[in-house]
Amino acid sequence: MFGWVKKISDKIKDLNSSVDKYKKETDNQTIPSVAYVNRAKKLIDKMRYDDAKKVLEEALEITRKDALVYKYLGVCEEKLGNYQASVIDYQKSAELNPQDKNIWHKLGLVQITLRDYANAELSFVQADKISPINTDIQTGWGMSLFKQKKYKEAHEKFLKAIQINRYNFAAMLLAAISEVRLGKYDDAEQKLSFLAGANPNESCMYEFANLYFLKENYEASIRYAKQSIDFNPNMLPAYLLLGKIYSLEFDYENSVKYFSLAKDRDLVNPLLYLEWGNALVRLCRFEEAKEMYQKVLFEDLENPEAQAGMALCAAETKDFEKAYNFIGFADEKDFDSVFLIEAKGVSAFAYGKVQEAIEYFKQALEKDSKDVYNYFRLAKCYEALENDEMIRDSYDKILKFNPKCSKAYVEYAKYLISKNDYNDAKRKLTRAEKLEPFNQELLNLLFYTSYILVKENVCEYNVKEAISIADRINKFEYPELRAELEELLKGIKQN
């Protein structure tokens, strides 16, 4: 006990060893801990946080009831990324001096960082009691509410922050984001337009892009997302949005391009691979999508969205045992996903439960009308039921909404050939050929339909066109029909 007293005495003597130095450090000569705080503040200003922390810990040996010591210890811990420790120090400071509005504000912001949003809200309530007209407190308070998805209440705080300081651009941006969440698109657009002129940055441009995405103006959304990346090449959300938009436009090359650019910039995390996988599913690239979902599940095995995506990919690639397992995993979490519904539909169809599959695919379309590949799935179901009207209706719909789906053209053509509708089959195959000029199955079908139509209307041009198609096929399936056409051509020339 006496040793402890001696230690305190020695520290005070050491502190008083230079009167001039002490006077420079504090105007209050009666509180030695203030000198330590001022030394620490100078070190903090120089970003020497570890050194500042040591000085403040020395101050605690003199007194453990100085709010400023804990306040600046909290600053050091926060700057060093030790957020839990920072919260503890800020709370001790607030207990010792509950009238310090800054400490409640700091505490609330760190609690937001730690995703402790409910307690952050309580901290800002305390700050507001001390300083009710403070734009920063209102902004922080709004953030704590926003993170709890209390968008209406958050919006009110952001608007109050703007009323206090109309140049609080952060509050204005957050108000716009809240308005997007609340469906107030016109109000959000007005604020974002102002910010784009007054304080343009990557966040503003991204939110503009997201707003236009929700309004289904993809051209404008792409433009603003690219501007966001121009401001900050590491703006991951903008890359993800671009990849998603291009997948919805069935543009495989550009979709993959932006996901790959994010990867090249080392913006790698499970979210990147999850969105990449989702985009590939929309593009019907199920094998490639599986690889992306595997990367997500390697980092986060219990991710229900990746499990649902994997269930669909496994079903589409006929790995039904794996599909069943992933469906079970996602169902256990009561996860609501269009991919999960589709996985169940594909599995049901594979096991001959056609009507059940139809109900799943219709349910999926009700949930997400943009997932138009379900029309293709429905067409195959109706083929199994021999419902000609619904077969044609389903194929026509997928080709209307996704004119780049070569698989749908080919399968539609096969159906039309089975109905002896060779003219329409050829039209479908000709369109598919523009999308996949080297698809061997497609070219063989195109040759066959051309052959049939030549037999119905023999002329030199038609015969030459059919033979030219055969010349482009590596795995040619109709050598005898080609020989017949060549003999036919010889006869035409001789006549």
Side-chain angles (χ1 to χ4, degrees):
M1 180 175 177
F2 292 106
W4 179 81
V5 173
K6 185 177 186 302
K7 190 175 182 181
I8 297 298
S9 177
D10 289 343
K11 285 190 175 290
I12 293 173
K13 288 177 181 178
D14 179 63
L15 182 62
N16 289 317
S17 62
S18 174
V19 174
D20 292 337
K21 182 178 180 182
Y22 183 80
K23 287 181 177 179
K24 289 180 182 178
E25 291 173 340
T26 178
D27 294 328
N28 189 341
Q29 311 301 301
T30 63
I31 308 177
S33 61
V34 173
Y36 283 93
V37 170
N38 285 342
R39 283 184 184 177
K41 285 167 67 175
K42 291 175 182 178
L43 292 168
I44 289 169
D45 289 340
K46 296 176 182 178
M47 295 186 288
R48 292 170 58 186
Y49 305 118
D50 280 316
D51 292 336
K53 183 178 170 183
K54 289 176 183 177
V55 170
L56 293 165
E57 287 171 345
E58 289 178 15
L60 287 179
E61 295 181 16
I62 297 173
T63 176
R64 291 187 175 272
K65 292 188 177 182
D66 190 324
L68 283 176
V69 174
Y70 287 110
K71 180 176 183 176
Y72 287 102
L73 260 177
V75 170
C76 292
E77 298 289 14
E78 182 181 353
K79 294 294 185 181
L80 291 167
N82 304 323
Y83 300 116
Q84 290 286 3
S86 179
V87 165
I88 292 170
D89 289 327
Y90 285 150
Q91 285 174 333
K92 288 179 179 177
S93 180
E95 288 171 8
L96 292 167
N97 183 13
Q99 295 306 307
D100 183 350
K101 70 176 186 297
N102 291 326
I103 198 64
W104 291 110
H105 180 252
K106 286 179 176 295
L107 177 58
L109 291 178
V110 177
Q111 287 168 327
I112 287 175
T113 301
L114 290 170
R115 301 183 181 181
D116 186 4
Y117 305 126
N119 280 321
E121 180 184 348
L122 295 175
S123 295
F124 289 116
V125 169
Q126 288 299 118
D128 182 63
K129 288 178 181 178
I130 301 164
S131 181
I133 306 176
N134 185 298
T135 189
D136 293 330
I137 289 171
Q138 296 300 319
T139 303
W141 194 354
M143 288 168 62
S144 69
L145 292 163
F146 183 92
K147 291 294 186 178
Q148 296 176 77
K149 298 185 179 180
K150 299 177 181 178
Y151 300 125
K152 184 178 179 181
E153 296 93 327
H155 183 239
E156 291 172 0
K157 301 304 175 188
F158 295 138
L159 290 184
K160 188 172 179 180
I162 297 167
Q163 289 171 358
I164 297 168
N165 179 5
R166 62 178 179 171
Y167 297 108
N168 186 336
F169 297 134
M172 188 170 292
L173 178 62
L174 290 165
I177 297 171
S178 299
E179 286 162 354
V180 170
R181 298 290 195 280
L182 294 167
K184 298 180 178 182
Y185 292 163
D186 291 341
D187 290 344
E189 185 169 1
Q190 186 177 23
K191 289 180 178 62
L192 291 170
S193 295
F194 172 79
L195 288 170
N199 186 44
N201 56 44
E202 66 270 28
S203 298
C204 171
M205 295 307 174
Y206 168 74
E207 294 302 336
F208 230 146
N210 186 55
L211 173 63
Y212 280 121
F213 170 76
L214 293 171
K215 295 174 77 171
E216 298 187 13
N217 184 342
Y218 293 158
E219 182 180 352
S221 183
I222 288 170
R223 183 171 68 254
Y224 282 106
K226 289 180 178 178
Q227 287 182 32
S228 176
I229 291 171
D230 288 340
F231 276 105
N232 180 3
N234 292 324
M235 189 67 174
L236 177 60
Y239 290 103
L240 300 184
L241 183 60
L242 286 165
K244 183 175 183 177
I245 292 172
Y246 282 119
S247 74
L248 289 167
E249 293 188 332
F250 312 108
D251 186 338
Y252 172 79
E253 289 186 4
N254 273 316
S255 181
V256 170
K257 170 186 171 182
Y258 282 98
F259 289 119
S260 297
L261 283 172
K263 182 182 176 183
D264 291 344
R265 294 202 67 84
D266 202 26
L267 305 176
V268 176
N269 62 28
L271 182 60
L272 169 63
Y273 291 120
L274 181 63
E275 290 298 331
W276 199 338
N278 291 345
L280 290 167
V281 167
R282 294 186 203 99
L283 293 160
C284 308
R285 304 273 184 151
F286 300 108
E287 286 288 358
E288 294 173 56
K290 279 169 70 174
E291 294 178 14
M292 298 304 162
Y293 290 132
Q294 284 169 351
K295 292 177 185 293
V296 178
L297 294 171
F298 181 78
E299 296 289 334
D300 181 9
L301 184 60
E302 297 300 317
N303 188 303
E305 192 171 352
Q307 289 175 343
M310 185 64 86
L312 177 56
C313 292
E316 284 286 358
T317 55
K318 304 189 185 307
D319 188 350
F320 294 108
E321 183 177 354
K322 182 177 287 187
Y324 177 80
N325 289 334
F326 278 109
I327 289 170
F329 295 150
D331 273 344
E332 285 177 3
K333 299 178 179 67
D334 197 25
F335 184 64
D336 186 20
S337 164
V338 68
F339 290 170
L340 200 59
I341 297 168
E342 291 164 353
K344 292 176 180 179
V346 174
S347 299
F349 179 73
Y351 288 104
K353 300 176 183 179
V354 180
Q355 197 59 52
E356 183 179 329
I358 288 172
E359 294 306 314
Y360 277 125
F361 298 141
K362 285 183 176 179
Q363 184 184 344
L365 280 166
E366 288 177 6
K367 188 172 182 64
D368 185 358
S369 61
K370 290 183 174 60
D371 203 344
V372 296
Y373 193 67
N374 285 303
Y375 289 116
F376 175 82
R377 296 179 177 123
L378 283 169
K380 303 307 290 184
C381 288
Y382 289 124
E383 280 188 39
L385 297 176
E386 298 183 359
N387 186 332
D388 291 339
E389 181 181 352
M390 292 307 298
I391 293 168
R392 291 177 183 269
D393 179 73
S394 299
Y395 276 127
D396 286 340
K397 281 179 178 173
I398 186 173
L399 293 176
K400 173 185 176 182
F401 294 119
N402 181 6
K404 296 180 181 180
C405 187
S406 61
K407 184 177 181 180
Y409 283 115
V410 172
E411 293 301 312
Y412 198 176
K414 288 180 183 178
Y415 165 74
L416 293 168
I417 289 170
S418 74
K419 297 299 177 180
N420 298 321
D421 189 349
Y422 295 104
N423 279 306
D424 200 8
K426 185 178 180 182
R427 283 193 287 271
K428 300 294 186 290
L429 292 167
T430 300
R431 290 180 183 177
E433 183 193 12
K434 293 177 181 177
L435 298 168
E436 291 190 88
F438 304 108
N439 184 313
Q440 299 297 293
E441 180 188 22
L442 186 161
L443 291 172
N444 272 294
L445 286 170
L446 184 57
F447 170 81
Y448 179 74
T449 55
S450 298
Y451 165 82
I452 297 295
L453 292 171
V454 164
K455 299 288 286 184
E456 293 177 0
N457 181 21
V458 177
C459 72
E460 184 176 355
Y461 176 82
N462 289 344
V463 174
K464 285 183 175 180
E465 181 187 38
I467 292 173
S468 72
I469 294 169
D471 289 340
R472 292 189 284 121
I473 303 174
N474 297 325
K475 298 178 181 179
F476 189 53
E477 297 176 3
Y478 304 100
E480 69 286 354
L481 300 185
R482 173 178 176 158
E484 184 181 339
L485 290 178
E486 288 176 342
E487 288 298 321
L488 192 58
L489 184 60
K490 288 179 184 178
I492 293 171
K493 288 181 177 179
Q494 287 174 358
N495 293 332

